[in-house]
Amino acid sequence: MNKIYGGILSLLVVFGCQSKSEENASVSTGGNHYIRLINLDETRQFYTWTSDRIPLVSAHRGGPYPGFPENAIETFDNVLKYTPAIIELDVAMTKDSVLVLMHDDELDRTTTGTGKVEDVTYEYIQGLFLEDNDGKKTSFKVPTLEEALLWSKGKALLTVDIKKSVPFEMVVDVVRETQSEAYAALISYTFPAAKKLHYLAPDLMLSVTIRNEEEIRRFEETGIPWTRVIAFTGVAERNPEFNNAIHEKGAFTILGVLGNLDRMAERRGDEVYASFVQKGADILATDRPIEAAKVLKSLSPSNSSKSPYFTHVD
């Protein structure tokens, strides 16, 4: 992986033996960039919008790059060499009800196997290798959701995209069993889905699609507290007034720059990412997390109430 992107964030906290209150912001020059939360109270504080918040990237499907396939733990680790991040991952279920990380219904595009995930056993999947987006075989294996959740603790926040064939209850159970509640936010694309997830796990954070004033109203009708939500505002730019309306509720906004907006940044220059944040996006969900994070470093405040949650480990 090209190292010119290394050490991109200027506002991080050196983590050592001292307590969080004793940690100081530091310029990062390498190592790994982590987000550490002790419990769900800290998670809610982290996701409560403040004007001094530190803008973040959300690595779509874990942030694949050449040699690093999507939804692989090794890929997650690669992104954290360059920036602290939220990791978005996809959960599917095998024929024998094992939850694995996989975006597609079929195995063909991202692994050395064939067939649908739901039609094969976990034993079969264990024998496969992941392929990167160029179709190059790697030495990496398909992780389980359990493995990803255990990996996340003390390292990165997750947003968990649950495929249609996967029962919500099973995902919640694995989050509970791994005691990873502070790190796992569950994604819902509809308000009925959000209501069900909140009913099953009222303490967990949810990423909920809220793209306009009408959807703000409809979300509030669900009865889900704003303290449990990260607002995914879609894949088109929102005006500052709408983003401010979300901020007034105390919630973060996630703008999906993956796709058209990422391509616009490639054409016009990566500084485009800064304009999204300046208009009120707090988290950029992107297929280019390393490039986007390099730009966002200039937008981090010199002092932030969120700084204690960030740490840099050599």
Side-chain angles (χ1 to χ4, degrees), residues 259-271:
N260 288 337
L261 298 182
D262 268 340
R263 287 190 288 271
M264 182 171 73
E266 288 187 272
R267 292 193 308 271
R268 299 184 184 178
D270 292 340
E271 287 302 320

Side-chain angles (χ1 to χ4, degrees), residues 24-25 27 49 74 93 95 97 114 122 130 145 148 150 160-161 171 174 194 226 262 287-289 307 314:
N24 296 308
V27 174
W49 188 84
E74 293 84 358
M93 186 168 67
K95 182 179 181 179
S97 300
T114 59
Y122 178 59
L130 288 166
L145 175 60
L150 290 172
V160 181
D161 193 343
V171 174
V174 179
W226 282 99
D262 268 340
D287 288 319
R288 305 175 72 235
S307 295
D314 290 322

Side-chain angles (χ1 to χ4, degrees), residues 224-259:
I224 301 170
W226 282 99
T227 56
R228 301 295 189 274
V229 69
I230 314 156
F232 179 73
T233 61
V235 293
E237 282 190 85
R238 305 298 162 191
N239 61 50
E241 291 75 21
F242 174 74
N243 289 325
N244 288 339
I246 297 291
H247 293 159
E248 287 173 2
K249 304 293 185 180
F252 272 57
T253 62
I254 306 178
L255 173 63
V257 300
L258 48 99

Side-chain angles (χ1 to χ4, degrees), residues 59-64 69-72 75-76 88-90 103-104 109:
H60 184 227
R61 303 184 193 176
E70 63 185 52
N71 282 309
T75 299
F76 308 163
E88 187 267 352
L89 52 80
D90 304 279
H103 175 271
D104 297 0
R109 181 179 64 87

